[in-house]
Each structure stands twice: as structure tokens, then as C-alpha cells.
Amino acid sequence: MHDVVPGSASFPAPSPAGAAVRGATAEAVANAVPAARRAPDRWHRPRIGIYNRWMSTLGGGERYMAALARLLAESYQVELIGHETVDLSRCRDVLGTDLTGVPQRVVPLDADYRAVQQASAEYDVFLNISQGDIFPALARVNALVVFFPGPPPPPVPGDAEPIGPLAAGWPGLAGLAGLSGPRAVPLSGLYPPEQGLERFVRWTGPELRLRLEDLPGTGPAAVRLVASGLRARGVPSAEIALHDERGLLERWRLPNRRFFGITVPLPEPRPNRMVLRLTTNTFVPAQFGADDDRELGVAVADVSVLTGSSRRHVDYFPEVGPVFRGWTPRRRALWEQSTYDLLLTVSRFGDDWTDRRWGRRGELLYPPVSVERVTPAPKRNVVLGTGAFSPGAADPGHLAMVAMFRRLCDQGLTDWELVLAGSTDPDGGAGLAAVLRAAEGYPIMVLPDPGVRALRQRYAEARIFWDATGLGVDDRLAPHAFEPFAVGAVEAMAVGCVPVAVRRASLPEIVSEGRSGLLWDTPAQCVELTRALIADPTRRDWLAEGAVAASLTFGEAAFRARLTEITTRIEHLLNAAT
């Protein structure tokens, strides 16, 4: 029996560990598996590769990455994967996280992320934390951090329904040679097409019968099967056998969660038609906790007949070939993210959208906020609003906050000040100028690019925090107008600055209304809630205490505890993969 293994069969190999080439035999592919992909010995310390294309930008995603890397490095061998070497001392200075001693690995940024995919095969765990960069990963366990899920490409004909003349009986993806020419026709043994992300496959039962038609009597001809075990962790690998009328042609073992293209030559001479049987061991998902009592064999994406070559070989499925070219962009995008065993989401808001767009939920891991290390300061009568003065960022509602504060002042508010602080960029001048014009004549201070320390001081001094991000936008229709996780609200809560925030996106899961802050739907409501809070210091102080306590939910200690739970699950997945 041949073991089909996800390794480097379809990639150029930069090292002996990945020395197989596309078209290698199954035995060669098996022998070329990097050592990290083989079953670890008892004392093996798992290797974790963390990929981030944007590592040098040192932004919010990189802060999250640094926190993960630092904690994981306490128990695992961690390596940072990127496309340029990053000065880790800047991570310490800018992000506040010391990654000294964590090695970096630089790989080329090439088409389809092939170098990164090749590198991923050498780790026990591959963690992709690069926003917007999704590709199939090859480690024993693969995890993807989803700050916010991008929409898959729009549906086109063929996304939801089988394609081509065999649509009534087959999920053909490549046009399967049209109405004439050699082709494969299913006779029996297939379940209906799946739903959700796996709708491009059909499961077999214990035996699939195929009829090959219009075959040449002599000359090169082969049947090509694109399939995967696609089985949950803990389910034995799929073992398949292909038979013709004369007996066994090939036997294979398919790893779970990977697709492979397997090409098997057809013996000569051959009839114009022949029947093949694909047999496999089966499992019942219900016995492994799923709501599915079918007896399933192997997940088949395509079967076709090739006449240009009869070379026996196996290739890892993302290599562009006659079948893959037939996939629509939507199918490819959904399949690529389905190769990750685990998704990590940074808010329930983002997790809900991940489920809506990708059909999967993730493990919730809030970004760590340094709430335990804040420095209190004497409070002043200040309402603070933060957010970038940049046109490309989510609109923080600066102009709306100016208008609301002006209304409070026009109605008699005195001895209070509004402070608006945020970063700028060369293209943000017009937005900043508009805010400055609107603030003229009122006790409103605008602080562009205040710096980390100065901003923390403003949080510590303020009594009330306003968040109007995405005001006027429906987060159910345009979620991109909002932050995946409202870090600013947590930073304010940690120093007893009471949040009065719009009821949108992640804010309702951060602010417990009436306990740690207040939520509003319209600017008029925000004005009235703020006025009442200013007039009632006792309630304001009580909410401030609740805000400090609630902020610990999003602190570094909570992040560590939750990450420990997640790594425990990853270790279980590693054991199952072994």
C-alpha cells in the first residue's frame, strides 16, 4: 500500500528534507517527508512556525502575534516566519513585548505563497497570523488567526451546482472532457453533494463504481482521482483500492484533511469501455460526535481520464492542473481556509461573521490588553475620544463626537473638555482639518499623533470615554466599517474611564450595559446618557469601578489562561495526527 503524504511533491525543494519533486512516486513522496512531519518521539518538543507577512509594520496584528509568540515560546520551539528580518528590539520598544531569542526564518514571497507552504510542512504546528493571506498549510496541525473574515469571491455558476454534462451524477469541476472523448461516469456508490464549505465534494460509501468511456485501445491513458480522507481527527485514515475487471490496480492511504491528485495508468490493451471499483474503509461520523449517521468512505472532488500521459504519480492538490483550473475562485478560497484545523477569532463579532462567510466558527482568543500594568492618574473633567484621522481606517466618528459635545455645551455644560486623539498619515490631512474647523470656539482639544505614553496619560485622566466608530453604518451589512476588537474601550475601562459607546460590532461584548459602561444607538441618546453621567458622580464612580473589574476579562492574564486551553486542544490534535 502506498502512503500518500502531504509534503513537497508539488513544490520545488530548497533542502534535502523536501527533496521530492512533482510527479514523484508515492514511495518517494513518503520518504521525503520532513522530520518534523513524522510522528514525534516521546520527548519531542513541538515546533511552531508563526507566519506574518506584515511583521515589520508593528501594528495591532503584530502586537497580537508578539504576545502569542512570547507565551508559546515558554513551552514550545517557536520560529517567526516572514519575508524580511525584523529588528526585534523594535518589537520591545513599540509593542512592549520582548521577543529576544525567538528565531526568525526568512522565505521568499512568491506566487501562491509556495515558499511559505513548503516551510509550513517542517513544523508540528503552523500558525498563520498574516491578515488577508490565506493559502493551504501543510503542518501536522494548522491554525489561522482571523482578525476579520474577508468575503469569499462572489458566487458564479458552478459554485453551488455540479458543472458540465455529467452534472446529474457527478460534481465535475473541470468540464470533464465535454460530451465526447474519454471520460468517467459514476454508476453507484455516491452520496449527494455536501453542503457548506464541502459542497464541491461527494462522499463515497464502501464502494464507488465508475464506467470509463471512449477509451483508446492502446497508447497512454490513465484515470486521475482527486480525493481526500477529509475525516475528523481521531478517525482512521482512508485506505482506498482501485480495481478493474481483472483485479487490483493500486492501493493508497490518504491522510485526513488533505486533497491529492492520484494518477493510475490503465493497462493495455483496453476495451472502449471499462468499469472500475473504488473500495475504501468506512466510518460513521455519529460515532465521533457528529450529527451524521451515514457510512462514509472517501471525499471525492473529481475523477477524469487522461490520455496525454500514463505516468503513475501523486501530487498535492493545490498544484494547478487540469482539475484545479476548473475550480471557481470562490471554491478555491473556501477550500484554502478549510485546510486549517483551527481558527482563532479575536471577538464574538468577528466569529459570527466568520461563521456567516466561511461556515465555520473559531476558538475565541481576545487580544491581550495591558490592563494589569496601567498607571492611574488624578481624574479631570474630560471626555476622551480616540481613533485614526486617516481616510482608510474605520471612521471613529470624530465629527459626530464634536457635534455631540457642542450640543452639550450649547445646552449649558461647563467645566468639561472633549479631547480627540489619534494617528494621522499623509493622506489624512483633509479629515483632520475638518475636525479642527468643527471644534473651533468650543473646549475641544485635537491631538494628532499623541504618542503611546501621552495617550495612556489621557486615558488615565479622563472620566468618560466616547466610542462612535461606524456611527450610521449597519454592522450587519457593512462590518468592515468597524474594528474587529475595540481595544480603545478596554484601555479606557482599565483606568476607570467610563465607556459610553455606540451599540455596534464588538462593543456590546466588551461593555456590560449598566455595569461597566453605557451603550447607545443614536447621537441624541449619547448626549442624554453623558449629561446624566456628568450630573451623577456617584453612579459614574460606581460604573468606573465596574469598568476596571470588567477590563480584566481582556487582560494579559486572561489571554494566557485562554491560550493554555487552546494549546491543550492543539496538543490533542497533534496526538491524533500522530
Side-chain angles (χ1 to χ4, degrees), residues 349-372:
F349 169 64
D351 194 58
D352 288 343
W353 273 98
T354 302
D355 183 40
R356 183 179 302 185
R357 285 179 166 174
W358 295 358
R360 297 177 65 184
R361 288 198 174 273
E363 295 284 347
L364 182 60
L365 182 62
Y366 287 119
V369 184
S370 302
V371 300
E372 297 92 345

Side-chain angles (χ1 to χ4, degrees), residues 470-496:
L471 179 62
V473 179
D474 190 336
D475 58 356
R476 297 167 297 180
L477 301 177
H480 58 276
F482 301 86
E483 296 176 307
F485 179 77
V487 174
V490 178
E491 292 176 329
M493 292 163 61
V495 288

Side-chain angles (χ1 to χ4, degrees), residues 404-413 466 527 530-531:
M404 291 188 295
F405 196 77
R406 287 176 54 145
R407 183 174 176 182
L408 282 168
C409 293
D410 292 344
Q411 294 175 352
L413 179 66
W466 273 357
V527 168
T530 303
R531 188 201 326 275

Side-chain angles (χ1 to χ4, degrees), residues 314-338:
V314 56
D315 57 271
Y316 183 58
F317 190 60
E319 176 71 21
V320 175
V323 176
F324 190 68
R325 278 196 295 267
W327 279 38
T328 65
R330 183 180 180 87
R331 276 182 173 158
R332 176 173 179 173
L334 293 175
W335 173 74
E336 285 176 339
Q337 64 83 10
S338 74

